[in-house]
Amino acid sequence: MRPDGKLPPPHPSLAPLPQRPQQATGTDMDPHARLPDPVPSPILKHSPSISRSLRSAADTSSVTFAADFRSPSKPESTSPSFDSFRTARSRPSSVSRSSTRRSASERAGSQRDLRDEDARFVYINDAPRTNAPPAMFPDNSIRTSKYSVLTFIPRNLYEQFHRVAYIYFLILAVLNFVPQLLVLSKEAGVLPLAFVLGVTAVKDAYEDWRRHRSDKNENNRTASVLADGVFRPKRWKDIQVGDVVRLVANETLPCDMVLVSTSDPTGVAYIQTINLDGESNLKTRYAKQETMSTPPEALAGVIKCEKPNRNIYGFLATVDLNGRRAISLGTSNVMLRGCELKNTVWAIGVAVYTGRDTKVVLNSSGAPSKRSRLETHMNREIIALAVALVVLCSVVSLLAGIWMGDHVDQLGIIPFFHKYDYSGAAAHDDGRYNWYGTGAQVVFTFMSAVIQFQVMIPIGLIISMELIRVGQAYFMVQDNRMFDEKSQARFQCRALNINEDLGQIKYVFSDKTGTLTQNRMEFRCASVQGRDFSETDGGEEDGHAVQADGVVLRPKTAVTTDPKLAALLKDGMGAKASRARDLFLALATCNTIVPIVEDTVNPAAKLVEYQGESPDEQALVYAAAAYGHKLVERTSGHIVVDVFGTRQRFDVLGLHEFDSDRKRMSVIIGCPDKTIKLFVKGADSSMFGIIDKTLNPDVVQATEKHLHSYSSVGLRTLVIGVRELSQSEFQEWQMAYEKASTALLGRGNLLRSVAANIERNMRLLGASGVEDKLQDGVPEAIEKLREAGIKVWVLTGDKQETAISIGYSCKLLTRDMTQIVINSNSRESCRKSLDDAISMVNKLRSLSTDSQSRVPLALIIDGNSLVYIFDTDREEKLFEVAIACDVVLCCRVAPLQKAGIVDLIKKRTSDMTLAIGDGANDVSMIQMADVGIGISGQEGRQAVMASDFAMGQFRFLVPLLLVHGHWNYQRMSYMILYNFYRNATFVFVLFWYVLYTGYTLSTAINEWSSVLYSVVYTSAPTVIVAILDKDLSRRTLLKYPQLYGAGQREESYNLRLFIFIMVDSVWQSVVVFFIPYLAYKNSAIDSASLGDLWTLSVVILVNIHLAMDVIRWTWITHAVIWGSIVATWICVIIIDSIPTLPGFWAIYEVMGTALFWALLLAVIVVGMIPHFAAKAIREHFMPNDIQIAREMEKSQDSRDANQPEVQMSTSTRA
């Protein structure tokens, strides 16, 4: 049965307006049947004689509609009458509006035809029939986990072996099982790979266990589902497509469902989509009146909807109730899983998408995977090492073939080869045993050499890099200097595989609104009928409190008013005062703001918060309230505005919502004086095309001048117009809307055409100026970035004047810059502007003899010009101009144009790019750049969800790039090179030994020591140093931003350094091998004792090499480096204490001699001489910037200890 209770008034503290008597209709109808069909706008009551098709109009586009009127004096008449309209019940105007930053393509669902083969059929309240074969829709369970108990091992191994390096080591482990190639024992051959796979598998298993636990909690939540005419609790995972689900206030939607009924008589419901798109503002959804008038237990019919897709802003469907004509459904009629029901007592819907078909699940995939530049370059060195490995193995196998040819007569008596079996037990008649010929033996030798020297390519490098990135991410997240106090948001590291890229950024592409600015709008001034009102110095911060039922209602945000404008509105007479009141009435009514009353500590006072998706709209409504036009109530189809203490009711007849094509919105309202007014507000580029300039040309000219003045100081501007509609005009619009809204094909374009037809011949009321203040520290941050050699480009949708003003405010533009402006309206003019820009650039280059005298350039280009450039393949010319400029400022750009600008640089340079933004329109730019950063701002979390890193303020880029980025790059570069050096040194020691054993690939070093060398003996110091070491202090890096250039120039990781460390590894391997070899050459020492000496020498040498390069010592660094040497010694002693292993007791024998200790010392001293000498010569005679800065740190005055990271400036105005 239908739940009882109705949605309480939005503001209980307000006295309800007296209800007007309903007019007789002459037809006995259910009250709900007399209500019009809910569409995404305020809807009015219909006469029973009006066509039902009018009530079924609904649309997903940005146009909304009010239905016919009935004349109270002629109940049976079908002609509309405004008098009866004012007595009708109507829909709320707080419609769900798309964000002003969404493109029109996101609303294109209404333009497609819904064919049967592309549709899903949902039988209302008949889940078995809906899910019967061949449909078989998925259940409503959610599974974010990747593995089950049975699939974990095979699937995890499959995923890990996507890494080519792991396949390489797997092949070597398998080859080691071949009897002819058994270089290591089977256990020792498998252990390194098994260890790496095991550690990764444990990490993956723990993460998946957490996902399993979360899935279980989510799937076992309960919802009320209609069964046998009664709503019963049902687990979320058991809900099926076709079920009728009932929600109450503050409950979360378990699936995507079409709204069929709500507690509001006209079918409105409010939802919060923060779990879906991160936007916290309330949005409205509507139930169709045909479904509202039917109790849920009696509801039957079929919903024909589009198949599941990822578009959360579009929905195309029709509903056929009991064989009646199909009724169209749109985005405003569907509620998505994860949203919460707010300010609505109850709502009922029909499940249309469940489980993995829901839009939130379809959109749950993360950002595209990116690989770091350093990791890409590392592959070049790995290939070089692979070539070196092949060369070593080829040399050994070739020499082995030559040796066997020279000793062919002795192979029968040499035990290693076993050419003949003298026991007589050979299976072959010729008496040969374990011999396949010289050619085969050469091949076996090559393969055995690959197994023996396999650690040339470090198996632990990949897992070491993962561990280091986790450690680096931890310290970035815990950095309190990147903690945003206002939003209480910490830095987020969403992609662990590109930490080091933060140290190599050359270009930063930034959005403006919400990224450089706060996106917290403040009304600053207005132009009213050609008169500028921007003098707020003598004004007061006022919210224009009103009183209702003994309770004082005050807007949550106060606005400083202009005294002259306030006096004109309150006490002024004549046409100018009337137009001024119309302007602020337009600001109060032409919006989608929902007023929410909040309690205060004083029970006699309450705050009114205006909630809406657009910060601009919120600022304008707060301004209207401050100037005496306070929006106090928005209910089902009417708006109540308190005009200087007098509450007036305005019936909303229609609403044309803002979209990015029209760049304006309009509302049709019925005023208390029975007039019908059309208010329109929008961007000046859009509004002046519909303004009738012949009505008041002086006002138009003055307003244009004021708009330019406002834009020049960085204000965001809107133009407001009005037109009084006649009865016939309104009827014409109404019929056109009915025809457009009932079309299933091309509905969006038709509705935009209807909007364009009514929005014409407007009278200009004036304009508004809203300030979007710069975030704290933005000018100083940009200055630091530019000093670091990073080019900052700003890509914004704002007009050119506003963008230029912001550029000066944030120190992006300076007065000494020469500006190149490309603002073209045709392809030909754009071509000429580009050619002129290239000529100017070449001329200035020729005049500049050196970098000091070079004239700084700034390119300012608009979106129209970019369209012509990208359409005519002139990107090369644009690129030529852009890279010659110090600053690029792109105005009026669309989201895809932002991505195109980033791609312009990525394709033509090797420089690293970073994009930063806060809105959905920045997502494509963020994903296109090498590094994407999302700002946790006022426009939802779409940018954050698509980003690699997220933070609360633009200024945090300075410590992120100049400090953490520098550290991460330096550490990771050193770690990779050190891994190559460390393993190559060990391999070359093995290689030298092979040359003295008849190329038989036997080794003096115990096989377990060979296995543990990369995994235990030397792995921990590498990881710890790469996480904790700091080549320079934070203070120095921030004081001298130029030091960041080391990463841009790849000074810490390049081919020259790779060659140098490989030469060093060869030298140290020669020292490690030959000094003990020569010392013991004529002695009776066994190979196991010599092998232990070599093992300890290599481990001590590479650890001292690492210790020599450590800059910042901590107790952890001491413990892990010296502890690693001690651990190696302990492992060697344990291995030599096992009787079953070769070399039993060898270490005890050799350690008892003085020669052993002398050789250890000699190896360390001689081995480190080249590295020490090169380090000393480089730092004293050829120091780089980092080494100079390090020396400066040692003598740094303690007064600089308090140097702030970014000088804060909270008073900077945009």
Side-chain angles (χ1 to χ4, degrees):
M1 51 189 298
R2 177 182 291 276
D4 294 328
K6 297 182 178 180
L7 181 66
H11 312 300
S13 59
L14 296 178
L17 291 175
Q19 295 295 319
R20 295 179 173 86
Q22 297 291 329
Q23 304 297 327
T25 62
T27 305
D28 188 10
M29 296 179 61
D30 181 274
H32 290 295
R34 291 198 299 270
L35 291 173
D37 170 68
V39 295
S41 68
I43 303 295
L44 307 176
K45 186 172 65 177
H46 286 67
S47 165
S49 58
I50 299 297
S51 168
R52 292 181 58 86
S53 65
L54 183 60
R55 299 200 303 269
S56 66
D59 181 56
T60 62
S61 80
S62 59
V63 182
T64 55
F65 161 69
D68 305 45
F69 318 121
R70 283 187 64 246
S71 171
S73 59
K74 298 179 181 180
E76 301 302 325
S77 173
T78 61
S79 62
S81 168
F82 178 69
D83 293 338
S84 66
F85 164 76
R86 298 186 66 249
T87 68
R89 288 169 60 184
S90 55
R91 290 292 310 276
S93 62
S94 53
V95 302
S96 171
R97 68 186 293 272
S98 298
S99 169
T100 59
R101 289 180 173 266
R102 291 175 195 147
S103 63
S105 62
E106 292 173 325
R107 309 191 218 5
S110 62
Q111 301 179 36
R112 296 184 290 104
D113 191 12
L114 191 59
R115 299 178 297 178
D116 288 352
E117 57 268 27
D118 297 327
R120 164 179 289 195
F121 292 90
V122 180
Y123 296 94
I124 300 175
N125 204 13
D126 192 353
R129 183 182 179 187
T130 302
N131 293 272
M136 301 296 291
F137 300 131
D139 59 26
N140 199 42
S141 62
I142 294 295
R143 181 181 175 185
T144 60
S145 57
K146 297 169 60 177
Y147 313 109
S148 66
V149 175
L150 295 178
T151 64
F152 174 74
I153 293 179
R155 183 172 179 180
N156 185 262
L157 290 176
Y158 173 77
E159 291 179 352
Q160 291 200 58
F161 279 111
H162 273 71
R163 292 169 172 157
V164 178
Y166 286 5
I167 297 177
Y168 161 77
F169 287 107
L170 176 64
I171 293 174
L172 295 183
V174 172
L175 287 177
N176 190 62
F177 279 78
V178 177
Q180 291 81 7
L181 307 178
L182 194 60
V183 176
L184 307 174
S185 66
K186 297 177 180 179
E187 296 81 4
V190 172
L191 181 62
L193 181 62
F195 175 80
V196 173
L197 294 176
V199 170
T200 306
V202 169
K203 175 181 71 71
D204 293 342
Y206 174 71
E207 292 176 351
D208 204 58
W209 172 77
R210 295 180 61 185
R211 287 191 287 264
H212 271 287
R213 185 175 59 180
S214 176
D215 292 345
K216 183 177 180 180
N217 294 336
E218 181 80 359
N219 292 329
N220 287 328
R221 298 172 68 176
T222 59
S224 296
V225 178
L226 187 64
D228 300 326
V230 179
F231 285 97
R232 305 178 188 275
K234 193 174 186 178
R235 290 185 297 184
W236 279 21
K237 66 180 181 180
D238 297 326
I239 295 175
Q240 295 180 292
V241 176
D243 278 340
V244 177
V245 182
R246 177 182 182 270
L247 302 168
V248 296
N250 300 318
E251 277 193 341
T252 302
L253 274 72
C255 58
D256 295 352
M257 54 191 196
V258 170
L259 187 61
V260 297
S261 184
T262 75
S263 56
D264 185 272
T266 51
V268 64
Y270 296 93
I271 61 171
Q272 190 178 61
T273 60
I274 191 169
N275 293 328
L276 185 64
D277 58 13
E279 297 182 4
S280 59
N281 298 306
L282 297 183
K283 299 176 178 63
T284 48
R285 295 294 183 262
Y286 304 95
K288 288 292 182 180
Q289 197 56 48
E290 286 80 357
T291 59
M292 278 287 296
S293 60
T294 307
E297 62 271 15
L299 197 61
V302 61
I303 298 174
K304 177 184 175 183
C305 62
E306 58 189 351
K307 290 184 178 179
N309 58 73
R310 299 178 60 185
N311 185 9
I312 63 176
Y313 305 119
F315 179 71
L316 181 61
T318 59
V319 58
D320 188 347
L321 300 176
N322 299 321
R324 292 179 288 181
R325 191 179 64 82
I327 304 165
S328 60
L329 299 173
T331 307
S332 60
N333 308 119
V334 67
M335 302 190 296
L336 304 182
R337 177 175 180 140
C339 300
E340 291 185 14
L341 189 67
K342 296 288 186 181
N343 286 19
T344 307
V345 176
W346 55 263
I348 296 174
V350 178
V352 289
Y353 304 127
T354 54
R356 63 174 181 269
D357 285 346
T358 57
K359 293 183 184 290
V360 66
V361 174
L362 293 174
N363 281 277
S364 62
S365 59
S369 178
K370 299 177 182 178
R371 294 186 64 191
S372 75
R373 175 72 58 86
L374 200 58
E375 191 172 347
T376 303
H377 288 177
M378 181 185 75
N379 292 335
R380 175 188 62 195
E381 279 67 50
I382 289 180
I383 293 174
L385 290 174
V387 171
L389 176 63
V390 171
V391 170
L392 292 180
C393 297
S394 299
V395 169
V396 171
S397 58
L398 179 62
L399 293 176
I402 295 173
W403 189 91
M404 284 185 288
D406 292 343
H407 299 79
V408 63
D409 297 333
Q410 304 174 23
L411 296 181
I413 59 175
I414 297 176
F416 179 82
F417 292 99
H418 293 285
K419 182 175 181 180
Y420 297 107
D421 184 4
Y422 294 99
S423 65
H428 302 286
D429 296 335
D430 59 0
R432 295 186 178 184
Y433 171 76
N434 197 25
W435 179 257
Y436 300 91
T438 303
Q441 288 298 132
V442 169
V443 174
F444 293 155
T445 301
F446 181 87
M447 293 182 179
S448 299
V450 173
I451 299 173
Q452 184 77 283
F453 303 149
Q454 61 179 290
V455 293
M456 175 69 82
I457 299 175
I459 188 173
L461 178 59
I462 295 175
I463 193 170
S464 295
M465 292 177 71
E466 290 186 359
L467 293 174
I468 291 166
R469 285 165 174 161
V470 170
Q472 292 173 348
Y474 171 80
F475 286 108
M476 287 192 290
V477 171
Q478 295 300 317
D479 189 348
N480 289 328
R481 296 169 183 83
M482 295 194 294
F483 176 74
D484 186 19
E485 294 286 349
K486 293 181 180 179
S487 62
Q488 294 293 302
R490 281 200 173 275
F491 178 83
Q492 297 179 44
C493 189
R494 298 173 54 82
L496 291 176
N497 54 338
I498 58 173
N499 291 353
E500 55 271 21
D501 281 350
L502 294 171
Q504 296 182 276
I505 301 300
K506 183 66 176 179
Y507 288 90
V508 169
F509 300 90
S510 175
D511 178 39
K512 182 188 75 68
T513 304
T515 304
L516 299 179
T517 63
Q518 299 178 18
N519 202 16
R520 296 180 183 272
M521 309 304 175
E522 181 179 343
F523 185 87
R524 303 296 299 177
C525 53
S527 173
V528 181
Q529 286 293 290
R531 184 179 174 186
D532 178 29
F533 294 95
S534 56
E535 298 296 330
T536 58
D537 293 339
E540 299 179 354
E541 282 201 354
D542 191 8
H544 190 72
V546 298
Q547 190 166 357
D549 294 343
V551 177
V552 176
L553 295 176
R554 182 181 300 277
K556 191 173 183 178
T557 301
V559 177
T560 303
T561 58
D562 185 308
K564 295 180 181 178
L565 180 55
L568 176 65
L569 291 168
K570 187 173 183 180
D571 304 319
M573 303 293 290
K576 181 166 291 191
S578 176
R579 296 303 179 194
R581 296 186 188 103
D582 277 347
L583 185 146
F584 282 94
L585 180 60
L587 297 183
T589 58
C590 188
N591 54 69
T592 58
I593 294 295
V594 179
I596 303 296
V597 175
E598 297 180 355
D599 294 328
T600 64
V601 292
N602 183 4
K606 294 182 181 294
L607 291 178
V608 178
E609 179 184 8
Y610 294 127
Q611 279 204 4
E613 295 183 42
S614 168
D616 298 78
E617 281 195 344
Q618 291 173 303
L620 294 175
V621 175
Y622 278 118
Y627 282 104
H629 292 70
K630 181 178 180 180
L631 174 64
V632 294
E633 184 177 347
R634 187 185 291 276
T635 61
S636 303
H638 67 266
I639 298 173
V640 177
V641 179
D642 185 288
V643 182
F644 291 107
T646 303
R647 295 178 68 199
Q648 298 182 16
R649 168 175 168 152
F650 299 88
D651 294 302
V652 180
L653 313 184
L655 178 70
H656 296 267
E657 196 178 325
F658 181 95
D659 66 55
S660 57
D661 295 327
R662 292 165 50 246
K663 296 183 179 179
R664 59 181 181 265
M665 72 171 295
S666 60
V667 63
I668 303 173
I669 64 170
C671 301
D673 60 1
K674 300 185 180 181
T675 59
I676 305 176
K677 289 185 178 180
L678 168 67
F679 289 122
V680 185
K681 70 176 183 183
D684 55 354
S685 60
S686 170
M687 288 295 295
F688 281 113
I690 63 173
I691 294 291
D692 187 351
K693 298 182 181 180
T694 62
L695 293 177
N696 40 14
D698 294 338
V699 172
V700 172
Q701 185 176 1
T703 303
E704 288 179 330
K705 184 182 297 183
H706 295 156
L707 285 170
H708 186 273
S709 175
Y710 298 163
S711 300
S712 299
V713 294
L715 300 183
R716 297 163 63 90
T717 59
L718 282 177
V719 176
I720 300 96
V722 65
R723 182 159 72 96
E724 189 168 320
L725 301 180
S726 65
Q727 191 77 13
S728 60
E729 287 176 318
F730 181 79
Q731 291 178 30
E732 181 183 351
W733 170 83
Q734 177 183 319
M735 289 185 291
Y737 179 84
E738 176 188 357
K739 181 178 179 181
S741 62
T742 54
L744 290 179
L745 182 61
R747 191 191 316 162
N749 287 332
L750 291 174
L751 287 168
R752 278 188 284 274
S753 177
V754 171
N757 287 335
I758 194 69
E759 296 169 349
R760 56 187 173 82
N761 300 326
M762 306 298 298
R763 174 182 289 274
L764 178 64
L765 290 176
S768 64
V770 175
E771 179 184 19
D772 187 8
K773 291 185 177 181
L774 285 179
Q775 292 181 10
D776 295 341
V778 166
E780 293 78 9
I782 290 179
E783 190 174 11
K784 286 280 188 182
L785 294 176
R786 293 179 62 183
E787 289 177 9
I790 299 173
K791 292 188 176 183
V792 181
W793 293 16
V794 174
L795 316 178
T796 177
D798 278 345
K799 64 181 65 176
Q800 182 174 305
E801 294 84 358
T802 304
I804 291 175
S805 176
I806 294 291
Y808 281 115
S809 299
C810 66
K811 297 184 180 179
L812 185 69
L813 299 175
T814 58
R815 298 297 175 185
D816 61 340
M817 282 185 176
T818 299
Q819 294 184 6
I820 301 174
V821 180
I822 301 178
N823 193 351
S824 306
N825 294 319
S826 66
R827 284 180 171 81
E828 184 60 29
S829 64
C830 182
R831 181 192 63 78
K832 186 177 183 304
S833 297
L834 267 180
D835 292 340
D836 292 343
I838 292 175
S839 300
M840 179 182 291
V841 167
N842 293 333
K843 181 179 180 180
L844 292 175
R845 280 178 177 171
S846 62
L847 295 176
S848 302
T849 56
D850 54 55
S851 59
Q852 298 295 328
S853 62
R854 192 179 70 86
V855 178
L857 298 175
L859 173 63
I860 300 169
I861 187 170
D862 69 343
N864 284 336
S865 301
L866 289 175
V867 170
Y868 300 136
I869 290 171
F870 291 141
D871 285 349
T872 56
D873 295 328
R874 294 188 177 274
E875 294 99 326
E876 286 295 338
K877 289 189 175 182
L878 175 62
F879 172 74
E880 184 180 346
V881 176
I883 61 170
C885 296
D886 301 85
V887 172
V888 175
L889 193 59
C890 300
C891 320
R892 300 286 198 187
V893 289
L896 289 180
Q897 288 178 325
K898 292 184 177 183
I901 293 294
V902 177
D903 192 46
L904 183 75
I905 297 299
K906 282 188 64 177
K907 283 184 176 179
R908 292 167 174 81
T909 70
S910 59
D911 296 324
M912 296 289 292
T913 59
L914 180 149
I916 179 170
D918 74 315
N921 64 324
D922 302 317
V923 168
S924 55
M925 172 180 72
I926 286 172
Q927 293 183 341
M928 176 63 70
D930 295 305
V931 178
I933 296 182
I935 296 289
S936 304
Q938 304 294 312
E939 296 190 27
R941 293 178 55 84
Q942 296 97 321
V944 171
M945 292 187 290
S947 65
D948 305 306
F949 305 94
M951 55 190 185
Q953 297 283 325
F954 178 86
R955 71 174 187 271
F956 296 158
L957 265 185
V958 173
L960 177 64
L961 298 184
L962 272 58
V963 179
H964 291 287
H966 175 87
W967 285 343
N968 293 346
Y969 171 73
Q970 298 291 331
R971 295 161 174 169
M972 191 65 77
S973 299
Y974 180 83
M975 189 277 298
I976 294 173
L977 291 174
Y978 177 79
N979 268 268
F980 292 156
Y981 146 79
R982 179 194 69 186
N983 284 34
T985 302
F986 187 77
V987 168
F988 282 121
V989 171
L990 300 177
F991 175 74
W992 304 132
Y993 184 78
V994 168
L995 299 182
Y996 289 87
T997 59
Y999 318 105
T1000 58
L1001 292 170
S1002 60
T1003 176
I1005 297 177
N1006 186 283
E1007 64 179 15
W1008 286 105
S1009 289
S1010 298
V1011 170
L1012 296 176
Y1013 176 77
S1014 296
V1015 178
V1016 175
Y1017 294 172
T1018 58
S1019 59
T1022 309
V1023 175
I1024 296 300
V1025 170
I1027 293 175
L1028 298 180
D1029 195 30
K1030 300 175 182 178
D1031 61 340
L1032 292 169
S1033 68
R1034 176 190 297 269
R1035 182 186 63 209
T1036 301
L1037 291 171
L1038 292 171
K1039 187 175 181 180
Y1040 304 104
Q1042 298 84 352
L1043 294 170
Y1044 185 79
Q1048 297 170 336
R1049 296 186 295 270
E1050 297 184 347
E1051 291 183 359
S1052 297
Y1053 188 92
N1054 50 56
L1055 187 60
R1056 179 181 59 84
L1057 288 177
F1058 174 74
I1059 295 174
F1060 178 82
I1061 61 105
M1062 293 306 295
V1063 171
D1064 196 20
S1065 68
V1066 171
W1067 164 258
Q1068 293 187 9
S1069 68
V1070 169
V1071 171
V1072 168
F1073 177 81
F1074 283 101
I1075 289 181
Y1077 171 76
L1078 295 175
Y1080 287 115
K1081 183 175 182 180
N1082 298 319
S1083 69
I1085 190 173
D1086 63 312
S1087 61
S1089 298
L1090 197 57
D1092 289 342
L1093 176 57
W1094 282 332
T1095 299
L1096 293 172
S1097 298
V1098 172
V1099 172
I1100 294 173
L1101 196 63
V1102 297
N1103 276 286
I1104 290 180
H1105 184 287
L1106 176 63
M1108 187 177 292
D1109 292 337
V1110 172
I1111 308 300
R1112 295 286 192 276
W1113 284 90
T1114 66
W1115 70 267
I1116 299 178
T1117 311
H1118 279 290
V1120 76
I1121 291 180
W1122 313 125
S1124 179
I1125 296 175
V1126 173
T1128 302
W1129 217 296
I1130 293 173
C1131 288
V1132 170
I1133 291 175
I1134 293 174
I1135 290 171
D1136 282 3
S1137 300
I1138 301 175
T1140 57
L1141 294 180
F1144 175 65
W1145 217 252
I1147 188 64
Y1148 298 100
E1149 296 290 341
V1150 73
M1151 279 198 308
T1153 64
L1155 182 60
F1156 171 85
W1157 300 102
L1159 290 175
L1160 269 182
L1161 180 61
V1163 166
I1164 294 171
V1165 172
V1166 177
M1168 292 307 301
I1169 286 176
H1171 181 68
F1172 178 81
K1175 190 177 180 69
I1177 293 172
R1178 185 170 61 248
E1179 293 190 6
H1180 285 81
F1181 299 102
M1182 298 177 292
N1184 57 29
D1185 293 342
I1186 293 177
Q1187 291 159 351
I1188 294 173
R1190 196 179 301 143
E1191 291 300 318
M1192 292 174 62
E1193 274 189 349
K1194 298 177 182 178
S1195 58
Q1196 188 75 276
D1197 194 287
S1198 60
R1199 293 175 303 174
D1200 295 333
N1202 296 322
Q1203 176 75 20
E1205 294 187 14
V1206 179
Q1207 298 292 334
M1208 305 298 293
S1209 176
T1210 58
S1211 60
T1212 304
R1213 274 188 55 184

